[in-house]
Amino acid sequence: MESEDHHHHDDSPKSPTSSSAGTCIKCGGSTAVAPPPTISWSEISPPPIYRPIRAPAVNLPDAQTRQQTIILAPVPQSRKVDVVSPPYEFQAPSKKIQSPDDIRRFLDFDSGDKFLGFVVALSESIRCHKLSDPCHESPVTKTIVSILQTLIQWVDEIPPLEQMARYGNVSYRTWHNRLVEKSDSLMLEFLPDDLKSATIEIVPYFTDSFGNSSRIDYGTGHETNFAAWLYCLAKIGIIKEEDYQAVVARVFAKYLELMRKLQLVYNLEPAGSHGVWGLDDYHFLPFIFGSSQLIDHKYMKPKSVHNDDILENFSNEYMYLSCIAFIRKVKKGLFAEHSPLLDDVSGVPNWKKVNSGMLKMYKAEVLEKVPIMQHFLFGWLIEWNQ
């Protein structure tokens, strides 16, 4: 994911609390970048060769306790989406979550449970299906795929600029500005006349689905916004239950293609990355959907992710394998060192357990995290518990 060229420069920001220089992760030489906070790894394992860009988001001393809590938690269940009816009260959504109490309020309230239930329903819709399997493709899902393809083409039209910084190519801001400018008209490509007023509410979810233009980063919070955008479309009846398989196999697969291109071309920094101690630097949902695809597969087991031939021949059909192949492409070194959690998951006996574990982990490590959910939006379609 990094450039072949290797530069040291003296205008990198220094930590206001640190006077010592850092060390280049490529050559070992000194740099002007302040070193990251010192973290004790003794309770888990020695530090791997690959270093996360940011300090891990998990509280390491409590990692084992939290892991046990996730294991004992109930598996989230699918829920039907309640479609809204006139009179519509669409409104500009806003941020509400600021504390763990707010997180509990969201998840204990019906809107949080229904949103998670929608994600579970999407996961169940793709169970035992390859991405290429025939499925119901409505005009709306085809239009959304076309819109995402347009966003991919914009990347080709807005090439990255040459710059010294390893991450965060400023051309991404040009791409994102075009996204913001065109979003209303993109939504009107599939919204019927009686739902055109929904743009005030659904556009902010859409524009927040592809990363942050100020920080030039992307993470599971942005990915969750894309799921929330799809959920809003289901709430207004644009996406129906019979569309769910196509939503995963066509729409989300195209979204994943776009995000990988943005990550590679513009070198988006992971937003609040868990680094090596998390699931993935950028994504979570494709591991949920991908593990569901592989449930009861006759030949491929969780340990099959270590088989290069399987990754090469089947990653185009199975989202989980695609994620593993992409990680191995952009990260160097042993898989167990740069992705220890995914390596541990490969030891789980079957994909059903992997899928249920991923769903519980998504709730605990994404939807229950204030740094992630503080950016989540609430309006009329996804209500905030007053």
Side-chain angles (χ1 to χ4, degrees):
M1 192 181 263
E2 56 187 293
S3 166
E4 294 296 325
D5 296 326
H6 180 207
H7 304 281
H8 288 173
H9 50 95
D10 297 328
D11 56 351
S12 302
K14 294 185 179 180
S15 169
T17 59
S18 174
S19 59
S20 59
T23 302
C24 176
I25 62 172
K26 292 187 69 174
C27 69
S30 61
T31 74
V33 180
T38 302
I39 298 172
S40 174
W41 304 94
S42 58
E43 296 183 20
I44 298 179
S45 70
I49 295 173
Y50 176 82
R51 297 288 198 275
I53 295 165
R54 297 183 179 179
V58 291
N59 187 356
L60 294 177
D62 297 331
Q64 289 183 339
T65 302
R66 185 162 182 80
Q67 184 180 29
Q68 190 65 21
T69 301
I70 294 173
I71 292 172
L72 297 175
V75 180
Q77 300 298 307
S78 66
R79 292 196 57 174
K80 288 187 177 295
V81 175
D82 297 327
V83 180
V84 298
S85 56
Y88 301 125
E89 300 176 29
F90 301 121
Q91 59 185 263
S94 59
K95 300 174 184 179
K96 301 292 186 182
I97 293 176
Q98 298 179 349
S99 68
D101 286 340
D102 293 335
I103 290 283
R104 284 189 290 271
R105 183 184 301 180
F106 167 59
L107 293 175
D108 291 343
F109 189 50
D110 212 29
S111 63
D113 188 52
K114 286 182 177 179
F115 170 67
L116 181 56
F118 172 71
V119 172
V120 179
L122 290 180
S123 173
E124 291 180 353
S125 73
I126 198 70
R127 181 170 176 167
C128 304
H129 289 294
K130 297 184 294 185
L131 292 177
S132 65
D133 282 353
C135 60
H136 172 72
E137 296 182 59
S138 67
V140 168
T141 56
K142 289 181 178 179
T143 300
I144 294 173
V145 170
S146 175
I147 288 171
L148 293 172
Q149 183 60 45
T150 297
L151 302 188
I152 290 174
Q153 292 171 358
W154 289 356
V155 180
D156 296 328
E157 296 169 13
I158 306 171
L161 296 175
E162 291 188 13
Q163 61 182 42
M164 298 290 286
R166 176 186 174 190
Y167 281 92
N169 194 282
V170 294
S171 285
Y172 170 75
R173 290 176 178 154
T174 305
W175 181 92
H176 198 276
N177 287 340
R178 184 186 292 187
L179 169 73
V180 173
E181 292 170 1
K182 302 285 188 181
S183 285
D184 279 59
S185 60
L186 292 174
M187 299 303 100
L188 295 177
E189 289 186 24
F190 57 83
L191 287 176
D193 289 342
D194 63 326
L195 287 170
K196 286 183 177 180
S197 59
T199 54
I200 189 175
E201 186 154 348
I202 67 173
V203 162
Y205 290 103
F206 185 74
T207 55
D208 280 354
S209 297
F210 307 97
N212 182 277
S213 60
S214 297
R215 299 187 300 269
I216 314 184
D217 65 6
Y218 173 85
T220 51
H222 302 107
E223 180 188 65
T224 297
N225 265 312
F226 188 73
W229 177 70
L230 294 172
Y231 177 62
C232 287
L233 297 186
K235 289 276 289 181
I236 61 178
I238 292 294
I239 289 176
K240 298 176 172 57
E241 198 167 340
E242 58 263 30
D243 298 321
Y244 283 7
Q245 185 180 341
V247 167
V248 178
R250 306 292 186 267
V251 174
F252 193 85
K254 181 62 69 172
Y255 170 73
L256 194 56
E257 178 187 344
L258 167 62
M259 290 319 307
R260 285 176 179 161
K261 186 160 188 172
L262 289 171
Q263 291 157 23
L264 290 173
V265 172
Y266 300 128
N267 288 333
L268 302 186
E269 185 176 355
S273 169
H274 289 198
V276 297
W277 301 110
L279 190 66
D280 179 75
D281 282 347
Y282 297 103
H283 292 284
F284 203 115
L285 291 177
F287 293 96
I288 294 176
F289 302 149
S291 57
S292 181
Q293 284 185 276
L294 288 160
I295 289 175
D296 296 331
H297 196 283
K298 289 183 179 180
Y299 310 111
M300 283 184 275
K301 307 300 179 186
K303 64 182 179 181
S304 298
V305 300
H306 300 292
N307 187 310
D308 291 340
D309 288 338
I310 286 178
L311 293 179
E312 181 179 353
N313 291 308
F314 297 100
S315 60
N316 61 323
E317 289 284 13
Y318 295 98
M319 209 171 277
Y320 194 102
L321 302 181
S322 173
C323 290
I324 300 296
F326 185 74
I327 290 171
R328 289 170 67 117
K329 173 184 175 182
V330 299
K331 290 188 179 181
K332 307 301 180 183
L334 296 175
F335 184 73
E337 291 181 341
H338 60 61
S339 302
L341 183 55
L342 286 171
D343 186 61
D344 288 346
V345 171
S346 70
V348 175
N350 59 70
W351 288 109
K352 186 175 181 180
K353 286 185 177 294
V354 173
N355 182 251
S356 61
M358 289 290 175
L359 286 167
K360 291 190 285 186
M361 189 177 172
Y362 181 68
K363 181 175 184 287
E365 297 296 342
V366 177
L367 300 185
E368 292 182 1
K369 292 290 189 180
V370 175
I372 295 173
M373 295 303 291
Q374 66 182 345
H375 304 293
F376 196 75
L377 300 172
F378 296 88
W380 181 61
L381 297 172
I382 304 179
E383 294 180 288
W384 176 247
N385 181 13
Q386 299 297 328

